[in-house]
Structure formats: C-alpha cells, structure tokens
C-alpha cells in the first residue's frame, strides 16, 4: 500500500469510505406532550421540530405581548379594568376556551409525532394513559378559570348598570374620569324580597381625581324639611316634611313623577340639599354588608369612645344589650354591623361618624389575598347585596380612580347640632331640622380643604393595625393595664395579657421591642409609639413571637395623658 493510501479493490479500484447513517435520537412521547401542554410549542422544541414549535408558540406569545403592553401602558388597574367590562369578560371567556383547545392540540400533535418512534404496544399505551391524565388535569384548570370568568361576569352584571336607558328615562351624562365624582352610598334594611324599605344610611362620597382625596358627608335618617327639587315640587311642594329615610319609598310609589326611578330621585334630592350634582349611587343591604366583611376576613376598627346600647334590635321584636369598649377591635361582619348601626346610648351623629369609619376601614384594609381566597363567597355576597347605577363600560375609569386614592386622605364630615342641625320632636316623632345654608357652605369649604395631620395619622394607624402587648416589668399592680389603656385611647391596638410574665421583674428601664421586621409596615404607628414612650425601639427577630410590639414596663414608665 503506497503512500498510506487505500488498498486496491479486486478490480484494481479504490475502496470507498462509507459514511455511517446518523439516527435522530428518540424522544419521550409523554414528555413532549406534557411540555406542549404546559406551553404550546415547548414539546416541539424538545423534539427539534422548529417550524411546528414556532407555529404553536406564536398565538400565546402574541396574547402575552398584548397583555404586557396593556400593563406597561395603563398599569395593572388598567388591565383589571378592561377585563371587568362586558367586552373584557366576553373576550376573557373566549380566549380561555381557545387557549384550552390550543394546548390540547399542541400536546396531541407533539405526542403523535414522538409516539411513532415508540416501540411496543405497552409503551405506547402507558404514554397514552399519561397523556390523557395530563390533559384532564390541565384542562380542568381552564374549567376553573372559566367558572371565575362566569362568576365575575354575573357579579359585574348583577351589581352595575348595563348603560341601557329605559323608555321615558333621561340618559345621564357620562363621567369622564377627570371631573370630581360624587357617589351616594345608601344602606338599607331590606327583609327578603320586600320592595318597601327605608334608607337608613345616607352618605355622599366626593372624590377629587386631581388630588386623590375623598370627602364623605352624612345626614341622619331622621332629618326633615328638605328643600325639594323643582321636578318634584308638584308632588311635595317646596319642602319635604317627612324624614329623609322615607323619600326613596315615596318616590318608588310615584313613577309618574319620577320616571327615572326612586334612586335618581333620591340623588337629585340630596344633590339639591348639598348644592352639588351626585353622579351615581351604590346601595347595600345590611345583611349583605355583614357577609362582605366576613368574606374579607373581618375588619379592624378603633372605637374612640365606648359604645353602649341597652336595646339593640335583633329581629322578631327582641332586643339585646351590646357594649363595645374603647380601643382597637378585630370585628367580624355581625360585630361591624352592630358598631355601625347602634344608636341607643349615643346619637344619630355619632352613629353616622361610626358608619363612615367602618367604610374607611374596609377600604384601607381590603387585602387582595383575602379577596382572592374568598372570591366565590365574596362574589355571592356582593351580587345579592350591592346595586349600583355606575355603568359597566366605565369601570376602568373607576378602578383607575380608586388606585389613585390614598386611604389617609379620606375625610369624614357629620353635620352635628347646634351649628348645622336642630334636634327636637313633634307629631313626626324625633326629628332633626337642618340649616341648609350652613351645610351647603361647609360642603363647598370641604372641597378646598385637605385632611388635617391628625386625621391622616389616625387613618394610617388604622391601616397599619399593629398588635401591641404591654407586660408588667416592675411588679406594680395594674401598671401594664394602665399603659395599654392609654395607648388604646391614642388609637393603637394595645392589650395587657395577664397570663404572660416577663422574664425579669424589677426593671429600671422600660423596654420597647419591635419584632420580625414589623417596623417596615408600621412607620406611622412606630413614630407615635416613640413619641409617646420617649424612646427608640429595639428591633429583634424571633419567630416564636406573634405580636408586632412588646412593651415591658420599667421604673421609668411614662405617664401618657389622654
């Protein structure tokens, strides 16, 4: 063999070099199907089928890009706002079905291509069984998502107006999202399907989109002698002499005078009274309110003063005694309703202030995790208890406005005697007569005023809801209880558990400890505590401690004035 060449063939030619055939590695049909079930096209990438992968990946990628673009342009509230419109809910339902089908087709195609290379009926059968189980599990998620979309559609349609104008009614001008928005909040005690009920809670919430502030006005249900709008004077004359909580029922009995319905009539009446245009309304049934609070895992309320009612009605002509101590309370729906509605032992004006306080607390403490966790029960409670004439198609504007509101900028006004009201009695029973001119002037002044520093601080403390334990470190009887009571009067949730004893007794210096990074979420409460105690907090991590703050009294424990 010359020059290291190939040996000659028998015919004297060269022996050709044969290239070995390369075999495409086998891929698991089950794995390919699961990958494309998770993300359409991923199984095809696993199989190195580039064109098929691009085909199946393109639609979900385009949808993801569209959603991301909306979030970048309008933020998460903008996306949520779009989704809860009639168009958005319909589109979400259709896309959910199409995506379920697309994932199934992608998984089946990836499995079909790979299974041709499987050997043995047993392997193919096992792979097919795995694919079937995976398809059922994955598509079940789409059924759950579809149920959520259906629930949301039913909820939005059940609460908000479709925007359709009934024959004979006057179409209201649309809110543009930039002007001040005035909403009438109405609380009713509706029994069963009764259409005859009084509106016992009447609160107007006025929202300024420019400054992100909210001002709430309340008028007691026993207020009389309202100036009547021109459109209703042929029925009532210049003054509505009955109590204002009966006006809704009266308007519902006179459709010839109020073709738009009783709620627009009530809005017009109160708008005329306050000297403003009230754009929309939200009506809540007291029973539904209780269910809503429960679905949100309760609410923390700071009672500035004790609330005592020796004859709180519990239905069936029966009464019970209720007593709420001053301080911070974690209330369920029934307790929050009692706190908001109790009137004996206090006044209508105090009750109106408590109702505004409960509304502000729910707004401040609404937790997205609790909302998501309890969505079915919350949706049922909302659908059955809330009704609003706010149009569904404008919900994105409303959500955008809510996102701009700082809970610390909510201001509450209750028009109390003797400045704004006169309390008395006559043949109508207990009555409250308003000074309309003074109330209108106060409303206009409130629009230009900002919440005071004290109001902002109190609202922030209520939002932070810090839990504080005060322990007796000196052995002096009742010392921890006295300090805990003083802190509660300052709006903090402080208690003095008698079953817990500090490790040391006879301390000379008071210890002020904040646990487990709570200082990050309680800046306002921390500043108040440091101011009241005259000392800085010590920061400690201890997973066994369940409270945010622990104060162990020493010989230098400060005396906090009320």
């Amino acid at each position: 063999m010359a020059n290291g060449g190939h040996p000659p063939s028998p015919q004297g030619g060269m022996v050709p070099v044969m290239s070995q055939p390369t075999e495409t590695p086998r891929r698991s049909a089950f794995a390919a199907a699961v990958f494309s079930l998770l993300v359409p096209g991923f199984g095809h990438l696993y199989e190195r089928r580039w064109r098929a992968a691009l085909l199946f990946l393109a639609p979900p990628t385009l949808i993801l890009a569209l959603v991301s673009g909306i979030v970048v342009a309008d933020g998460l509230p903008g996306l949520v706002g779009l989704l809860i419109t009639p168009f958005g809910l319909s589109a979400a339902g259709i896309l959910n079905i199409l995506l379920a089908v697309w994932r199934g087709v992608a998984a089946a195609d990836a499995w079909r291509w790979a299974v041709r290379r499987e050997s043995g009926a047993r392997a193919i059968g096992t792979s097919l069984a795995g694919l079937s189980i995976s398809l059922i599990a994955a598509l079940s998620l789409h059924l759950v998502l579809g149920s959520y979309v259906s629930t949301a559609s039913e909820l939005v349609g059940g609460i908000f107006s479709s925007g359709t104008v009934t024959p004979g009614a006057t179409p209201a001008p649309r809110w543009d999202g930039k002007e001040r928005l005035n909403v009438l909040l109405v609380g009713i005690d509706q029994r069963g399907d009764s259409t005859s009920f009084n509106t016992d809670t009447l609160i107007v919430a006025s929202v300024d989109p420019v400054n992100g502030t909210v001002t709430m006005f309340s008028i007691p249900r026993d207020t009389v002698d309202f100036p009547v709008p021109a459109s209703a004077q042929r029925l009532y004359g210049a003054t509505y002499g009955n109590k204002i909580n009966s006006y809704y029922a009266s308007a519902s009995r006179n459709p010839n005078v109020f073709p738009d319905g009783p709620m627009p009539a009530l809005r017009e009446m109160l708008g005329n009274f306050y000297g403003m245009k009230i754009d929309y309304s939200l009506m809540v049934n007291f029973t539904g309110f209780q269910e809503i609070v429960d679905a949100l895992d309760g609410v923390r309320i700071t009672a500035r003063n004790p609330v005592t009612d020796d004859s709180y009605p519990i239905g069936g002509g029966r009464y019970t005694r209720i007593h709420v101590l001053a301080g911070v309370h974690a209330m369920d729906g029934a307790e929050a309703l009692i706190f908001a509605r109790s009137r004996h032992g206090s006044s209508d004006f105090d009750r109106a202030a408590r109702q505004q306080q409960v509304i502000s607390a729910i707004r401040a403490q609404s937790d997205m995790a609790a909302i998501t966790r309890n969505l079915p029960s919350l949706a049922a409670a909302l659908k059955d208890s809330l009704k609003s004439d706010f149009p569904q198609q404008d919900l994105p504007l409303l959500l955008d406005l809510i996102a701009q509101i700082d809970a610390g900028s909510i201001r509450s006004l209750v028009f109390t005697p003797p400045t704004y009201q006169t309390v008395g009695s006559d043949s109508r029973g207990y009555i409250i007569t308003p000074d309309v001119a003074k109330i209108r002037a106060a409303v206009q002044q409130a629009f230009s005023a900002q919440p005071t520093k004290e109001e902002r601080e109190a609202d922030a403390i209520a939002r932070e809801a810090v839990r504080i334990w005060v322990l007796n470190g000196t052995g002096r009887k009742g010392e921890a209880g006295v300090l805990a009571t003083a802190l509660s009067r300052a709006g903090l949730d402080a208690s003095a558990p008698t079953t817990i004893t500090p490790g040391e007794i006879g301390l000379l210096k008071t210890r002020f400890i904040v646990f487990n990074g709570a200082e990050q979420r309680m800046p306002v409460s921390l500043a108040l505590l440091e101011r009241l105690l005259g000392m800085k907090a010590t920061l400690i991590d201890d997973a066994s401690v369940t409270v945010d703050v622990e104060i162990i009294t020493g010989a230098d424990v400060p005396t906090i004035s009320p």
Side-chain angles (χ1 to χ4, degrees):
M1 182 174 61
N3 300 325
H6 293 285
S9 67
Q11 291 79 19
M14 305 295 292
V15 176
V17 177
M18 301 297 292
S19 60
Q20 296 298 319
T22 59
E23 183 176 317
T24 303
R26 284 196 303 182
R27 303 291 181 181
S28 166
F30 174 69
V34 170
F35 288 152
S36 273
L37 195 59
L38 293 173
V39 179
F42 272 26
H44 301 80
L45 290 176
Y46 168 72
E47 295 170 337
R48 299 183 181 179
R49 297 170 60 201
W50 312 120
R51 288 186 179 180
L54 181 61
L55 171 66
F56 283 105
L57 269 171
T61 302
L62 291 175
I63 294 173
L64 180 61
L66 175 62
V67 171
S68 301
I70 295 173
V71 172
V72 170
D74 301 325
L76 187 58
L79 175 62
V80 175
L82 176 62
L83 287 176
I84 63 175
T85 61
F87 169 79
L89 288 169
S90 299
I94 293 171
L95 284 175
N96 178 54
I97 295 173
L98 293 178
L99 183 58
V101 172
W102 195 245
R103 292 175 69 188
V105 170
D109 182 76
W111 180 85
R112 179 187 59 81
W113 188 87
V115 81
R116 293 181 304 178
R117 308 180 68 82
E118 296 278 4
S119 59
R122 182 176 181 180
I124 294 175
T126 302
S127 177
L128 181 60
L131 171 63
S132 301
I133 294 173
S134 301
L135 279 172
I136 292 172
L139 298 183
S140 295
L141 296 177
H142 286 277
L143 290 177
V144 173
L145 181 58
S147 70
Y148 274 105
V149 172
S150 176
T151 298
S153 180
E154 185 179 359
L155 177 63
V156 171
I159 294 177
F160 297 99
S161 167
S162 64
T164 304
V165 180
T166 57
T170 305
R174 296 270 296 275
W175 175 60
D176 62 3
K178 300 176 182 178
E179 299 295 326
R180 179 178 288 274
L181 177 67
N182 300 316
V183 180
L184 173 62
L185 309 177
V186 181
I188 62 172
D189 189 10
Q190 185 180 21
R191 308 299 172 90
D193 296 326
S194 172
T195 58
S196 178
F197 48 79
N198 289 333
T199 54
D200 286 342
T201 298
L202 296 169
I203 299 173
V204 174
S206 182
V207 187
D208 181 359
V210 176
N211 297 316
T213 58
V214 180
T215 306
M216 292 194 293
F217 309 100
S218 289
I219 201 74
R221 66 178 188 174
D222 293 318
T223 305
V224 298
D225 297 342
F226 273 69
V228 176
S231 61
Q233 288 185 4
R234 63 189 176 100
L235 178 62
Y236 301 115
T239 303
Y240 183 72
N242 294 327
K243 296 180 179 182
I244 188 59
N245 68 338
S246 67
Y247 190 77
Y248 180 94
S250 177
S252 66
R253 293 192 295 268
N254 293 277
N256 57 323
V257 179
F258 305 104
D260 294 346
M263 186 55 74
L266 182 59
R267 288 205 320 264
E268 185 182 22
M269 168 68 90
L270 291 175
N272 180 63
F273 174 73
Y274 286 121
M276 68 169 78
K277 176 181 175 293
I278 299 179
D279 303 287
Y280 302 106
S281 62
L282 175 66
M283 178 183 287
V284 57
N285 189 314
F286 288 137
T287 302
F289 166 84
Q290 178 176 328
E291 295 173 352
I292 291 168
V293 173
D294 286 336
L296 293 173
D297 292 337
V299 63
R300 299 180 76 83
I301 300 290
T302 302
R304 301 293 183 187
N305 300 293
V307 178
T308 302
D309 191 337
D310 291 322
S311 53
Y312 184 83
I314 56 175
R318 296 175 297 132
Y319 299 87
T320 189
R321 184 180 191 274
I322 61 105
H323 181 66
V324 181
L325 296 172
V328 181
H329 300 270
M331 297 185 178
D332 60 20
E335 292 166 336
L337 183 60
I338 289 173
F339 180 77
R341 296 195 67 194
S342 174
R343 63 184 302 215
H344 303 100
S346 59
S347 68
D348 278 326
F349 308 102
D350 179 56
R351 180 173 70 162
R354 282 185 271 114
Q355 290 171 350
Q356 293 187 10
Q357 184 182 359
V358 171
I359 292 172
S360 297
I362 292 173
R363 160 66 182 86
Q365 298 170 32
S366 293
D367 178 68
M368 187 55 68
I371 292 174
T372 304
R373 183 169 58 253
N374 301 316
L375 186 59
S377 59
L378 180 60
L382 290 171
K383 180 173 65 70
D384 294 337
S385 61
L386 291 184
K387 295 296 178 185
S388 177
D389 47 22
F390 194 91
Q392 297 177 34
Q393 60 267 34
D394 290 340
L395 285 175
L397 296 175
L398 182 61
L399 285 182
D400 184 58
L401 177 62
I402 292 174
Q404 298 175 36
I405 295 173
D406 178 6
S409 65
I410 299 177
R411 189 179 188 188
S412 300
L413 294 179
V414 179
F415 300 109
T416 57
T419 304
Y420 300 106
Q421 309 264 23
T422 301
V423 177
S425 62
D426 59 14
S427 58
R428 295 170 290 185
Y430 172 78
I431 61 170
I432 302 169
T433 306
D435 188 324
V436 178
K438 286 185 178 180
I439 289 175
R440 287 175 177 171
V443 168
Q444 295 305 314
Q445 183 180 5
F447 285 160
S448 59
Q450 297 297 319
T452 65
K453 177 183 178 182
E454 291 75 17
E455 289 173 332
R456 289 195 297 269
E457 181 181 74
D459 287 332
I461 290 171
R463 290 199 309 276
E464 292 172 356
V466 177
R467 293 184 61 214
I468 304 167
W469 277 356
V470 182
L471 307 180
N472 193 329
T474 65
R476 293 193 290 254
K477 186 177 180 179
E479 184 174 69
V482 170
L483 180 57
T485 299
L487 294 176
S488 295
R489 286 175 179 161
L492 296 161
D493 181 7
S495 60
T498 57
T499 57
I500 301 177
T501 304
E504 297 179 55
I505 299 294
L507 295 177
L508 296 178
K509 290 189 173 296
T510 298
R511 295 177 181 175
F512 171 26
I513 307 168
V514 176
F515 291 99
N516 304 319
E519 71 279 359
Q520 299 295 325
R521 60 174 179 79
M522 52 172 278
V524 179
S525 300
L526 179 60
L528 176 61
L529 282 167
E530 290 178 341
R531 188 168 73 244
L532 293 174
L533 298 174
M535 63 180 69
K536 294 291 184 180
T538 300
L539 308 181
I540 294 179
D541 288 329
D542 186 344
S544 66
V545 178
T546 58
V547 293
D548 303 309
V549 176
E550 190 174 271
I551 301 170
I552 306 175
T553 62
D556 63 343
V557 61
T559 300
I560 300 175
S561 302

